[in-house]
Amino acid sequence: MKPRPARAALVALVLGLSLAAARERPARAAPGIERFAVIIGNDLGAAGEAALHYAEADAARMAEVLEDVGGFAPENVIVLRGRDAGSALRAIITVNERIRTRAGALGDDTVLLVYYSGHGDRRALHLGGSRFDLTSLEKLVRGSSATVRLLVVDSCNSGALTRVKGGRSAPRMTVELGDRLSGEGIVFLTSSAASEEAQESDELKGSFFTHYLASGLLGAADANQDGVVVLKEAYRHAYENTIRATSSTAAGVQHPMFRYELGGQGDIVLSRLRSGGRRARVRLPSGASFLLFHGDGDGSVVAEVGAHDAAREVSLKPGRYFVRARGAAHLLEGMIDLPPGAVVAVDPGALTRVDYARLVRKGSTILTRVHGPTVGYQVRTALVEGESVCHGPAAAYVRELPDVRLSVRAGFCRAHYANQALSATNDELHVSARAARAWDTPAVSFDAGAALGASLLRQTFDTRGTAPARHTAAAHVEIGASAIRYLPSRFYLALEIAGLAYALQTASDSSDRPLVVRLAARTSLELGMQF
């Protein structure tokens, strides 16, 4: 499916990333920092806005990551999925009151994170038909007595394989920062620049930016591999990977933005990855991009590590995970088990290879088609008595779709003819279009199908005198089967055997040239390449 154009460009998503999972301060230990979060997701927007698929899933995933590695206690995380603007307003006010009371009683440093994923425009968030004014949201976050306040707004519209997230095309949604903050700092991240579209992915089952932010917090952003992910590392990881992932989508490149104002502080630690025996770590080899899924691969994506990411280790809950590595021409897939406290290195040799053509036939959303050329050599049996086999080069272009294998082929072959009276050279130039159904086995793939084609047959005589060449046009029908063996990189070998029926006019000295049917068989061996 092709992405549908967004009805409106997008509300310049002000994502205020507020995961301050632990501010580094020598004078105060980590237990003195208490973290609070309000996580909001709504797949439904205003009237006329198509329902999203993953906004509520993004909210659930962000809450899980914050609790797992961000130091947010479950009782301090409020998750609202599919709720209206009034519920969101009341939740933020309630948390602000808890922060004020907590800080006043114990003097603890506090962190507030507000995250939103759903529809919106430059003035308001759209939560299932209700509107949450952005000015009000800004004042609630800015007015909190939390030491550090962070805001994330991921506003979206709808599409197909890559859905467009956003509202009407409009100037960038901005949050003006005052001269003084009621606490020590505030941070804003935005998933896109003005007039850009933020996007979500069916393969990732979530928005690109939230996916890469969450993956980064689980360890993919830990560039210096010190076991903690700080704000600037998380932003850089989300920025670079969001640009890369959206550069090939129909909606265009999405550029996350960053605004960071913290008074008198160093960088903020957002996640800690080495938490004793409560979690497990996965080490991934270089040279390929890796996705890790809950369960057997039908579940949501937990984390991603790109081919060029310096960090090759992520922190996950103990359990069973599906691993998918994406190489230049094929996938590697398999299951891994993560016991508590274990460090498991993924061995590519233990994973199963899935070639891209087979992936298309499985109906995956990762690839809906592959295509590429073939070159080879063909041999055809004689069309008339006394003719030798006809052999020569052939080339084709093949397109793999979920249900059929389509190809267009052109070829040339030459045969020799001789009887007691004369000898001749017979040439055939042919083109054909073929459709076939393919099946896969672990070692070899097979297809069976039919083709329609046209040929130009030319006969030249070897005589001492002068004899004119003869030309005959023919149509042919072909029924055949192929065996396909996929090779390393993007190449494959295909052996095809087919039966052909030619309809052509016979050569005659009279004006009457009857139409006859000739039967033949053809074998070809081809080397193909896929894109």
Side-chain angles (χ1 to χ4, degrees):
M1 296 175 64
K2 295 182 180 178
R4 297 197 302 268
R7 231 184 238 202
L10 167 154
V11 230
L13 315 165
V14 279
L15 296 157
L17 171 335
S18 111
L19 309 156
R23 228 170 46 291
E24 305 263 66
R25 277 170 113 183
R28 184 182 287 278
I33 302 174
E34 193 160 10
R35 303 162 189 85
F36 298 83
V38 179
I39 310 296
I40 307 162
N42 199 319
D43 290 335
L44 301 180
E49 290 180 317
L52 298 170
H53 285 57
Y54 306 119
E56 294 177 22
D58 282 343
R61 184 180 182 192
M62 184 58 67
E64 181 180 11
V65 171
L66 292 178
E67 293 177 13
D68 287 348
V69 295
F72 286 71
E75 62 270 20
N76 288 346
V77 178
I78 297 177
V79 182
L80 303 177
R81 301 173 65 188
R83 306 288 291 277
D84 62 12
S87 299
L89 175 66
R90 289 189 294 272
I92 297 173
I93 292 174
T94 299
V95 169
N96 275 345
E97 180 60 25
R98 286 187 61 196
I99 292 172
R100 187 188 64 78
T101 303
R102 184 75 175 171
L106 301 180
D108 284 346
D109 285 340
T110 52
V111 169
L112 170 65
L113 165 66
V114 177
Y115 170 93
Y116 171 79
S117 181
H119 283 287
D121 60 36
R122 69 185 180 94
R123 295 183 178 87
L125 309 178
H126 303 168
L127 291 91
S130 62
R131 293 171 62 86
F132 195 152
D133 184 74
L134 284 173
T135 302
S136 299
L137 175 62
E138 175 200 346
K139 288 179 179 178
L140 285 171
V141 176
R142 182 186 304 284
S144 173
S145 58
T147 312
V148 175
R149 289 143 291 152
L150 311 121
L151 175 64
V152 181
V153 179
D154 199 342
S155 183
C156 4
N157 232 338
S158 170
L161 285 179
T162 299
R163 253 170 294 284
V164 173
K165 301 180 73 180
R168 296 185 177 181
S169 181
R172 181 185 307 183
M173 177 178 66
T174 58
V175 178
E176 299 295 336
L177 298 181
D179 294 333
R180 297 294 301 171
L181 301 173
S182 57
E184 291 188 3
I186 190 166
V187 173
F188 295 94
L189 298 184
T190 167
S191 68
S192 68
S195 299
E196 287 184 347
E197 296 166 336
Q199 302 166 56
E200 58 180 13
S201 163
D202 281 333
E203 179 186 1
L204 302 176
K205 294 182 173 59
S207 74
F208 285 107
F209 186 83
T210 296
H211 165 72
Y212 289 115
L213 180 59
S215 292
L217 296 177
L218 291 173
D222 185 16
N224 61 3
Q225 301 178 42
D226 62 352
V228 298
V229 176
V230 298
L231 175 60
K232 290 180 181 177
E233 286 179 321
Y235 168 73
R236 185 181 300 112
H237 179 81
Y239 175 87
E240 293 174 352
N241 283 282
T242 300
I243 288 178
R244 175 189 54 77
T246 58
S247 63
S248 59
T249 64
V253 180
Q254 177 182 327
H255 298 82
M257 306 296 286
F258 178 90
R259 188 165 183 178
Y260 175 97
E261 295 194 8
L262 295 173
Q265 300 186 77
D267 209 346
I268 296 173
V269 174
L270 302 182
S271 62
R272 295 185 181 276
L273 308 174
R274 296 164 189 168
S275 52
R278 295 186 298 108
R279 296 178 65 80
R281 286 182 282 157
V282 182
R283 289 180 180 168
L284 302 165
S286 59
S289 296
F290 284 84
L291 289 173
L292 294 103
F293 298 77
H294 280 299
D296 59 3
D298 294 329
S300 60
V301 176
V302 180
E304 177 177 354
V305 173
H308 303 294
D309 288 341
R312 309 302 301 175
E313 185 174 291
V314 292
S315 172
L316 300 176
K317 291 180 178 179
R320 189 166 175 80
Y321 292 86
F322 180 81
V323 178
R324 173 178 292 153
R326 189 166 188 170
H330 59 269
L331 299 182
L332 296 175
E333 297 182 339
M335 302 297 301
I336 59 171
D337 290 302
L338 302 180
V343 179
V344 176
V346 173
D347 177 12
L351 303 178
T352 300
R353 172 176 167 147
V354 181
D355 292 282
Y356 283 167
R358 298 183 179 210
L359 191 66
V360 168
R361 289 192 282 272
K362 288 171 64 177
S364 170
T365 60
I366 302 170
L367 286 174
T368 57
R369 63 185 181 274
V370 295
H371 57 92
T374 72
V375 294
Y377 205 78
Q378 60 180 348
V379 177
R380 173 182 57 74
T381 59
L383 289 180
V384 296
E385 186 178 354
E387 184 185 54
S388 68
V389 296
C390 192
H391 56 92
Y397 204 88
V398 180
R399 188 181 182 94
E400 304 273 5
L401 299 175
D403 296 322
V404 295
R405 190 169 187 256
L406 302 176
S407 61
V408 177
R409 173 184 285 134
F412 171 84
C413 71
R414 171 165 289 181
H416 296 282
Y417 173 85
N419 62 21
Q420 293 180 347
L422 56 82
S423 62
T425 299
N426 295 343
D427 294 331
E428 178 188 0
L429 180 64
H430 68 86
V431 294
S432 62
R434 181 175 186 263
R437 186 70 170 86
W439 296 268
D440 298 312
T441 68
V444 180
S445 296
F446 299 93
D447 75 23
L452 294 176
S455 299
L456 177 63
L457 304 173
R458 181 174 184 266
Q459 187 176 52
T460 57
F461 297 97
D462 302 324
T463 66
R464 293 184 180 180
T466 301
R470 292 177 176 176
H471 296 82
T472 302
H476 64 262
V477 178
E478 171 185 335
I479 298 176
S482 299
I484 304 160
R485 173 68 177 180
Y486 293 99
L487 306 174
S489 295
R490 298 177 178 269
F491 295 97
Y492 65 92
L493 282 175
L495 175 66
E496 180 182 350
I497 299 175
L500 299 92
Y502 284 79
L504 69 159
Q505 290 181 313
T506 58
S508 173
D509 294 333
S510 68
S511 59
D512 182 22
R513 301 181 65 189
L515 189 69
V516 298
V517 175
R518 304 288 188 187
L519 301 180
R522 182 172 64 213
T523 299
S524 63
L525 181 64
E526 299 174 349
L527 175 66
M529 183 178 185
Q530 294 182 329
F531 302 103

